[in-house]
Amino acid sequence: MRGAYLPGGSKVELRTVPDPSPGRGQVVLAMRASTICGSDLRAIYREHLGEGPEAYRGVIGGHEPCGQVVEVGPDVRRLRAGDRVVVYHISGCGQCDQCRRGYQISCRSPARAAYGWQRDGGHADLLLAEERDLLLLPDSLTFLDGACVACGFATAYEALCRTGVSGRDRVLVTGLGPVGLAAGVLAKAMGASLVVGTDPNQARRCLATQVGAVDEQLAGGYEELKDMLGDGAEVAVDCSGNPSAQLSAFRHTRRWGRTALVGEGGRLTIDVSEVLIHRQLTVHGSWVSSTWRMAELLDNLERWCLHPEVVVTDRLALADAQAAYAVADSSTGGKVGIVWP
Ligand SMILES: [Zn+2]
Ligand SMILES: [Zn+2]
């Protein structure tokens, strides 16, 4: 089979490697969609910056895989050939407190391995996966929908659930990359009465309006946000990882409101009393999602008749993985997906 590796220096290498075969509790998937995430670009593609859970061990890239079961190993009980599945992209130890809660993302066992980081990921014709890491894809959703859920949409959904978004809330989303688009789309589905998105990049703001992720979009200046939101939105979610946008998310959260930080990175200097304490804010740091929340999202998407693939602007074949990464790294479009016919 073919697999795409990320050696650093903004390169992608397509290599031919042996087909995997499933061991105990494992299945092999024929890949159907494998989207590119901002963290692939930030920590692997440009240069290998990641440490700990983000250390890249020279494996096949891609941590947002969705495909179809083609072979099952011994003791696989739930899945069979032909099942369409989303890969929860971290394989935890299965035994620790975090794994038992469904948050394999926070598993600290040396056995923890993320697909596309420490074990082979979805940028390949076939993927070897643990049965326990797989979620059934509802019939109404496409494989590309599933790939979007595997990381980005589930991450956005988790943050919105943690802030308890409902019809009582206006939501501010800072950063309109793929996760910001997901946050906007889902906030509206969850009932938010107004979704305002900010991004300095005009192309991204236009795309957010086109895909229905935001009701209003702004570059993000303090005064223009104040004009639109007054004392602030009931909920703000930062999806940028940029310190000035993170600060903006806090400053434009209404008194007693809730702010979630989802965008990775950034070092923030903040006047704690003025911005956080005196304004009675609740702050959530929210990292990816859990298996149960991801399953809940898949159910909801079917009921809401929502297709996450609306945020995908570029679809390329595995043979064009290099081009796919270059497009994703140009940061002007939406989500980029590697797809199979
Ligand atoms: Zn991701
Ligand atoms: Zn664990």
Side-chain angles (χ1 to χ4, degrees):
M1 69 167 188
R2 300 166 303 162
Y5 293 78
L6 302 167
S10 298
K11 288 202 280 279
V12 179
E13 275 179 25
L14 203 58
R15 299 181 202 155
T16 301
V17 295
D19 289 358
S21 68
R24 199 166 292 279
Q26 296 181 320
V27 307
V28 172
L29 307 180
M31 288 305 308
R32 293 284 176 249
S34 180
T35 42
I36 296 171
C37 180
S39 57
D40 294 321
L41 301 168
R42 176 176 51 79
I44 310 180
Y45 170 69
R46 294 175 203 140
E47 52 180 319
H48 297 170
L49 292 179
E51 291 173 22
E54 287 199 331
Y56 174 64
R57 292 202 195 127
V59 297
I60 293 170
H63 67 264
E64 303 183 342
C66 188
Q68 198 155 22
V69 176
V70 288
E71 197 181 349
V72 302
D75 291 341
V76 167
R77 300 202 173 90
R78 183 170 55 102
L79 297 174
R80 58 189 63 187
D83 283 345
R84 304 159 77 244
V85 291
V86 177
V87 181
Y88 177 90
H89 66 265
I90 301 100
S91 202
C93 72
Q95 304 289 334
C96 72
D97 173 63
Q98 296 300 307
C99 284
R100 285 170 197 255
R101 289 169 191 253
Y103 287 85
Q104 284 92 311
I105 180 70
S106 298
C107 172
R108 299 181 68 190
S109 158
R112 175 199 191 275
Y115 296 86
W117 298 86
Q118 296 92 30
R119 62 182 286 168
D120 285 339
H123 298 342
D125 295 309
L126 298 169
L127 171 66
L128 180 68
E130 310 299 318
E131 182 188 30
R132 66 167 189 265
D133 300 335
L134 303 176
L135 303 166
L136 281 172
L137 182 68
D139 291 343
S140 67
L141 298 183
T142 67
F143 288 114
L144 199 49
D145 288 331
C148 290
V149 169
C151 175
F153 266 71
T155 296
Y157 184 63
E158 174 82 26
L160 294 170
C161 290
R162 299 261 280 269
T163 56
V165 167
S166 77
R168 295 182 301 169
D169 301 316
R170 295 166 301 161
V171 175
L172 169 65
V173 178
T174 51
L176 296 174
V179 177
L181 296 179
V185 166
L186 293 173
K188 288 173 79 169
M190 292 164 78
S193 59
L194 176 73
V195 177
V196 176
T198 67
D199 198 294
N201 182 316
Q202 192 186 4
R204 287 195 147 171
R205 297 202 303 275
C206 291
L207 178 66
T209 303
Q210 269 169 36
V211 304
V214 298
D215 299 302
E216 302 287 347
Q217 45 88 0
L218 301 166
Y222 180 80
E223 290 301 330
E224 60 174 356
L225 271 165
K226 185 119 184 120
D227 286 346
M228 180 162 293
L229 292 167
D231 188 39
E234 285 67 36
V235 171
V237 183
D238 176 71
C239 300
S240 74
N242 175 294
S244 69
Q246 290 166 332
L247 184 59
S248 178
F250 286 123
R251 292 174 88 192
H252 296 283
T253 303
R254 188 177 173 174
R255 281 169 178 75
W256 293 100
R258 300 89 75 197
T259 314
L261 298 178
V262 173
E264 295 259 10
R267 282 180 185 276
L268 187 58
T269 301
I270 197 162
D271 185 327
V272 171
S273 290
E274 181 197 327
V275 178
L276 301 179
I277 297 174
H278 297 175
R279 302 182 63 249
Q280 312 275 16
L281 297 194
T282 301
V283 179
H284 298 268
S286 188
W287 191 23
V288 188
S289 185
S290 60
T291 44
W292 65 267
R293 193 91 88 180
M294 193 178 282
E296 180 184 289
L297 173 60
L298 288 166
D299 275 355
N300 283 337
L301 289 169
E302 181 163 54
R303 287 195 290 114
W304 295 337
C305 299
L306 261 187
H307 287 282
E309 69 169 60
V310 295
V311 307
V312 177
T313 47
D314 299 271
R315 295 162 172 78
L316 292 96
L318 180 62
D320 301 319
Q322 169 87 53
Y325 267 82
V327 172
D329 201 27
S330 70
S331 246
T332 50
K335 193 84 172 162
V336 178
I338 294 172
V339 294
W340 283 254

